[in-house]
Amino acid sequence: RLSDPGIMAEELQEAVADETARIVIEWGEIVRDILPMDHVRIVLTPIDDTTRQLDISANGEKSSSVLKRLAQ
């Protein structure tokens, strides 16, 4: 696990600049400063050995629209 984005930061910035790209980032807090303000955040929290809680939140207009479409 990375403690800072290092070399990955430049590649991530390039991918984030592409508005058609869909990017999934594990351990996103490491690159929080690189992420666009408008994004979907998904947090998996262990409840026990076989159960996880899934929390999904939108952080902007586009991401809110994505969540609304998923909920239909």
Side-chain angles (χ1 to χ4, degrees):
R1 296 183 180 146
L2 299 173
S3 59
D4 84 55
I7 195 166
M8 158 176 119
E10 187 175 316
E11 291 178 22
L12 180 57
Q13 285 177 326
E14 185 177 312
V16 166
D18 179 355
E19 290 190 17
T20 63
R22 300 300 174 251
I23 305 163
V24 176
I25 302 169
E26 185 177 10
W27 305 105
E29 62 275 359
I30 295 168
V31 292
R32 179 174 286 140
D33 294 339
I34 300 168
L35 298 177
M37 293 300 293
D38 191 344
H39 64 273
V40 174
R41 180 180 171 96
I42 301 171
V43 177
L44 296 169
T45 305
I47 302 301
D48 58 38
D49 288 343
T50 61
T51 307
R52 302 292 182 268
Q53 177 176 316
L54 178 66
D55 294 306
I56 304 174
S57 60
N59 296 296
E61 188 176 321
K62 288 181 183 180
S63 57
S64 292
S65 176
V66 168
L67 288 187
K68 285 178 186 175
R69 287 194 311 266
L70 288 174
Q72 295 177 350

